[in-house]
Amino acid sequence: MRMLAGQKFFERAEVKDLLAYLQLADNPDYNPAFVRIVNVPPRSMGDKSIAELELIGQRKGLSCWAVAEKMCAGQLSGNDTRSTNKLRKVLPPFIKVMKTIRDMANGGCTVPDLIRRIIELVHYEAYLHKNHSDSESRWENVQELINFAEEIADPEAEYVPQPAKPTPKTELVLNDDGSFSEAIEEDDSGATRWTSSLSTDTETADEESEEDKARVTVSTCHAAKGLEWPVVFIPSTEQGTFPFYRTDSVTEERRLLYVACTRAQAFLHLSHAESRMVGGSSTNKECSEFVAPLVKENKFAQAPPVVDQGVLRLIGSLLGRPVPPDQDIKDKISS
């Protein structure tokens, strides 16, 4: 699969944040997750404070989580009295959140409900709105993460809390800008396996494919301008998507769908859902106002055509390509 002008879903910051909360709840000794979310949303934990926890952990052979817990319990101190007092002030709310999430997990809470509770406890939606101009789009990604978790939820494979694991082997690296980064062995915690399976199932690209191997191209409507393909599929041609529910210009949305439709050189397939999962709940959907009148006028076939020799010759003439032999077609289908 080839994606045009797109960012992989599991590489988005908001998705990484929430998955890191799950990872840390599953294995408190997983330092990369701790470092990512201890200051998300902001908790007055700058790079210097985080680096201090990491360095103390290095000296004591402890994870960042263990250092934070011991420091708040008065069993460890920072580099000086001022930094110690600051950390003992800002860390307890974060520790309380993580313990709450872990207790829920121990009680058998499902991953979708864990994500919802994390969002509620850390006020993640408000954080997005306050700190990001594209907060609506980011919030939609959060909802989609919940949807995805709901879809793959299996009573036989719910979140299973893991016993505490030894502190992963880490090595602090001082970057050119003065910040710290970690070289760390990969964690194999339950939540990590869960998130890895998600990204593997949905994001894996066929890196070993030859350049000339047929691939499906996934594109946004905007990125498709000026391009054409023999067959084009446009999903979600429904109200709320075409036109988009937050649009300021229905006319522009209509034009955008027209651009997408005219990318097809031979076959154009439009589809829409009768119901769709939104934030883990099913919502009824209607066909797009741009498409529904054309459907009523029978402008669209309800089923794809039977591809016989006549259709093949027509496609060949449209594309300027010779009609392939029957055996080649059978071989492609069987492969």
Side-chain angles (χ1 to χ4, degrees):
M1 184 179 72
R2 183 168 63 108
M3 182 171 289
L4 299 182
Q7 181 185 17
K8 290 183 177 181
F9 181 73
F10 287 93
E11 290 179 356
R12 299 178 187 274
E14 57 276 11
V15 175
K16 283 187 172 183
D17 290 343
L18 294 173
L19 296 185
Y21 271 99
L22 290 177
Q23 289 173 315
L24 190 63
D26 182 76
N27 181 9
D29 290 333
Y30 188 46
N31 281 355
F34 180 98
V35 171
R36 179 173 187 91
I37 60 172
V38 69
N39 200 43
V40 177
R43 300 183 177 91
S44 300
M45 285 284 296
D47 289 343
K48 184 177 178 181
S49 296
I50 296 173
E52 182 175 349
L53 292 177
E54 291 179 300
L55 288 170
I56 294 172
Q58 285 283 309
R59 292 198 300 265
K60 300 289 185 179
L62 299 171
S63 67
C64 290
W65 173 264
V67 171
E69 277 196 309
K70 288 180 178 295
M71 188 170 290
C72 291
Q75 299 172 3
L76 277 178
S77 298
N79 293 333
D80 54 56
T81 302
R82 182 179 178 182
S83 66
T84 299
N85 290 339
K86 176 186 176 181
L87 290 170
R88 287 175 178 170
K89 178 180 179 181
V90 301
L91 283 172
F94 173 68
I95 291 174
K96 182 179 179 180
V97 166
M98 295 312 307
K99 286 184 174 180
T100 299
I101 298 302
R102 185 162 179 80
D103 287 345
M104 291 179 64
N106 284 331
C109 185
T110 62
V111 171
D113 285 338
L114 283 175
I115 296 174
R116 293 188 184 96
R117 186 58 173 152
I118 291 167
I119 292 169
E120 179 184 345
L121 288 172
V122 304
H123 308 291
Y124 195 77
E125 183 179 7
Y127 157 72
L128 291 178
H129 290 313
K130 182 178 179 180
N131 293 274
H132 299 283
S133 58
D134 59 345
S135 60
E136 292 294 340
S137 175
R138 290 173 183 263
W139 180 243
E140 288 171 3
N141 291 332
V142 169
Q143 296 300 301
E144 187 57 30
L145 177 64
I146 297 174
N147 292 345
F148 198 90
E150 289 280 8
E151 289 173 6
I152 69 170
D154 184 337
E156 299 295 324
E158 290 183 356
Y159 179 100
V160 179
Q162 304 292 312
K165 300 171 178 61
T167 303
K169 296 179 180 179
T170 61
E171 178 182 353
L172 282 178
V173 178
L174 180 62
N175 301 319
D176 293 338
D177 60 3
S179 63
F180 287 89
S181 60
E182 279 188 318
I184 183 167
E185 289 185 354
E186 288 298 323
D187 174 60
D188 191 32
S189 64
T192 300
R193 290 193 298 273
W194 184 81
T195 57
S196 296
S197 68
L198 293 187
S199 58
T200 299
D201 289 345
T202 61
E203 303 287 355
T204 300
D206 189 2
E207 300 292 346
E208 291 149 21
S209 297
E210 302 86 357
E211 280 300 317
D212 59 347
K213 186 175 180 180
R215 292 183 295 178
V216 173
T217 299
V218 179
S219 171
T220 64
C221 294
H222 288 285
K225 294 176 182 177
L227 301 175
E228 289 183 322
W229 295 276
V231 182
V232 169
F233 294 85
I234 305 177
S236 193
T237 53
E238 57 206 39
Q239 289 297 103
T241 305
F242 294 104
F244 192 51
Y245 71 96
R246 291 201 316 270
T247 187
D248 294 324
S249 174
V250 173
T251 300
E252 174 61 21
E253 291 292 296
R254 185 189 300 272
R255 186 193 68 80
L256 190 61
L257 180 58
Y258 174 80
V259 168
C261 291
T262 53
R263 300 310 90 198
Q265 295 172 304
F267 288 117
L268 171 66
H269 298 259
L270 303 183
S271 64
H272 74 89
E274 293 183 349
S275 64
R276 188 174 295 279
M277 192 79 75
V278 179
S281 301
S282 181
T283 302
N284 292 333
K285 289 291 183 179
E286 296 180 355
C287 184
S288 166
E289 63 189 68
F290 304 148
V291 178
L294 299 176
V295 173
K296 290 180 180 179
E297 295 172 12
N298 295 318
K299 299 294 185 182
F300 287 99
Q302 296 299 307
V306 176
V307 182
D308 54 21
Q309 283 296 321
V311 172
L312 286 174
R313 285 193 294 271
L314 175 59
I315 295 172
S317 65
L318 289 172
L319 302 179
R321 301 178 185 177
V323 177
D326 288 346
Q327 189 58 48
D328 286 356
I329 296 175
K330 292 178 181 178
D331 291 342
K332 288 289 185 182
I333 292 174
S334 63
S335 62

